[in-house]
Amino acid sequence: MTHHLPPVRGRYTYQADLKKITWFQVGGSAEVLFKPADEEDLAFFLQNTNIPIFTLGVGSNLLVRDGGIDGVVIRLGKGFNEYKASGYTIETGSAVLDRNIAEYAASLNIGGLEFLCSIPGTIGGAIKMNAGCYGTEIKDVLLWADIMTRDGKVQRRTNGDLEFSYRHSNIKNDEIVIKACFKGYHGSQENIRSKMEKMLEQRAITQPSKLTGGSTFANPDGDYKAWELIDAVGGRGKRLGGAEFSNLHCNFLINTENATAQDLEDLGEEVKEKVLEKFGIELKWEIHRIGHRIAKK
Ligand SMILES: Cc1cc2nc3c(=O)[nH]c(=O)nc-3n(C[C@H](O)[C@H](O)[C@H](O)COP(=O)(O)OP(=O)(O)OC[C@H]3O[C@@H](n4cnc5c(N)ncnc54)[C@H](O)[C@@H]3O)c2cc1C
């Protein structure tokens, strides 16, 4: 590490193994993992170094390559995980898991946030990705988000400012969501819980729930879903090393046993190529791939 790291109240871990804290459980290390103590500590860090940063949620939409990541990976935890309702709005720290907000909203008869129960990431990751399912996305329920820019300043951005589109916001890669506010409506406890149960049941029978990164490719514009294209080129169940396109949902890559990040990425690229050849459609990775590949011998 050639960069000077400022003295923070939070914790630095050098050569941090990211396998243990991402869903695919593959890939290399972060040169440094930084867990800021709180917002002030994060701002101090950003203001006192120009080292490249990457913000990690819980890595449920991430493929960390085998050669690891240069610079500092920031992971928010304590200090960013409080939430509180006022009427039908909920203000929350960005490190909170989506499902905890769904559960909290349900306990207060706040409807509209049920979909969050089945997305396995954090609020920060959900906002950056405009995460959604079962007909609702973040853009339908978010009032505002507080974003820390690379210079350590906080800007409150409204829903409109974030220019949400399908699985996308305009939040830059070096900007960090630290807080957000959602709006729900009055709902009945029974309805809310029943919606959540149905979503979770549906998930359990249609998608793998371990050692995966969620949808591999975004659905392209036009008539076809990504999974239909993958299926049509023989991708369902296809394997490479320890990587496999799931039989249950063929747009989900899974680490079946000891896959490397390269197995997963190469298998994705192989199927993407076949789809391009057969349909002339270029699938786009929804999973974020970060870090260095290890050169093939
Ligand atoms: C089994 C499974 C099912 C899934 N189902 C769905 C689904 O139905 N709908 C859906 O939309 N997604 C789904 N996903 C994908 C994933 O859960 C979402 O994209 C989620 O929002 C990612 O959150 P995360 O905290 O894990 O972010 P990560 O995977 O850690 O990061 C994803 C991106 O968000 C950025 N990021 C994370 N935190 C912050 C922050 N605080 N500030 C700024 N940027 C940040 C990262 O830099 C990265 O670019 C699924 C994943 C799995 C494994």
Side-chain angles (χ1 to χ4, degrees):
M1 161 83 37
T2 49
H3 294 262
H4 161 76
L5 292 178
V8 288
R9 285 178 289 111
R11 186 149 47 101
Y12 294 127
T13 309
Y14 295 86
Q15 292 307 323
D17 184 0
L18 297 178
K19 271 196 191 83
K20 296 181 189 148
I21 54 172
T22 53
W23 269 63
F24 270 128
Q25 294 184 18
V26 297
S29 306
E31 202 176 355
V32 179
L33 180 71
F34 170 43
K35 289 190 184 167
D38 51 31
E39 193 178 319
E40 205 186 312
D41 198 34
L42 178 60
F44 176 81
F45 168 82
L46 293 172
Q47 283 158 0
N48 288 284
T49 175
N50 57 7
I51 194 167
I53 56 161
F54 176 82
T55 310
L56 178 71
V58 287
S60 63
N61 205 213
L62 213 60
L63 180 63
V64 176
R65 294 193 176 106
D66 303 307
I69 306 174
D70 294 338
V72 174
V73 171
I74 296 174
R75 189 157 194 242
L76 308 182
K78 269 191 204 155
F80 299 86
N81 62 5
E82 288 188 356
Y83 45 93
K84 196 171 183 348
S86 165
Y88 297 109
T89 64
I90 298 178
E91 248 184 71
T92 174
S94 63
V96 176
L97 290 175
D98 300 338
R99 66 162 178 266
N100 291 352
I101 293 301
E103 189 53 44
Y104 179 59
S107 73
L108 298 172
N109 296 339
I110 300 176
L113 301 174
E114 297 87 349
F115 74 107
L116 290 173
C117 77
S118 71
I119 301 180
T122 63
I123 292 297
I127 294 173
K128 162 92 174 181
M129 299 299 300
N130 185 25
C133 57
Y134 302 110
T136 313
E137 303 178 302
I138 288 291
K139 80 167 171 48
D140 304 320
V141 293
L142 184 86
L143 289 179
W144 52 257
D146 281 350
I147 315 272
M148 195 174 281
T149 48
R150 186 60 187 79
D151 57 6
K153 299 209 170 94
V154 178
Q155 293 175 354
R156 180 154 297 181
R157 299 199 193 144
T158 63
N159 185 314
D161 294 336
L162 294 168
E163 295 177 351
F164 287 120
S165 56
Y166 173 63
R167 300 295 167 265
H168 181 79
S169 69
N170 66 5
I171 297 168
K172 297 196 191 104
N173 286 341
D174 63 0
E175 294 182 329
I176 306 172
V177 180
I178 53 173
K179 207 188 273 177
C181 183
F182 295 105
K183 185 159 179 57
Y185 52 81
H186 178 75
S188 92
Q189 181 85 208
E190 207 184 326
N191 274 348
I192 295 170
R193 297 243 173 239
S194 132
K195 271 192 201 167
M196 284 169 38
E197 268 163 36
K198 280 193 193 124
M199 288 175 190
L200 291 170
E201 272 168 25
Q202 187 64 13
R203 286 262 179 192
I205 51 174
T206 57
Q207 294 176 3
S209 60
K210 281 189 189 138
L211 297 171
T212 177
S215 296
T216 306
F217 299 112
N219 287 323
D221 293 336
D223 298 333
Y224 296 108
K225 299 269 191 218
W227 74 263
E228 291 170 319
L229 298 166
I230 295 167
D231 219 4
V233 299
R236 184 181 295 272
K238 194 170 173 53
R239 289 188 73 141
L240 181 70
E244 182 182 284
F245 268 107
S246 165
N247 272 302
L248 196 55
H249 190 313
C250 65
N251 192 21
F252 276 52
L253 270 171
I254 40 178
N255 169 8
T256 58
E257 43 175 314
N258 303 322
T260 60
Q262 189 160 341
D263 292 341
L264 289 156
E265 187 167 13
D266 287 353
L267 180 58
E269 285 296 325
E270 189 183 326
V271 167
K272 182 173 180 263
E273 195 59 38
K274 290 204 160 114
V275 168
L276 183 63
E277 266 167 34
K278 185 160 182 178
F279 295 95
I281 297 173
E282 188 171 2
L283 289 173
K284 296 222 162 54
W285 283 85
E286 184 170 320
I287 289 173
H288 289 218
R289 294 160 297 155
I290 52 164
H292 299 289
R293 285 173 78 100
I294 293 178
K296 276 186 184 161
K297 287 183 190 134

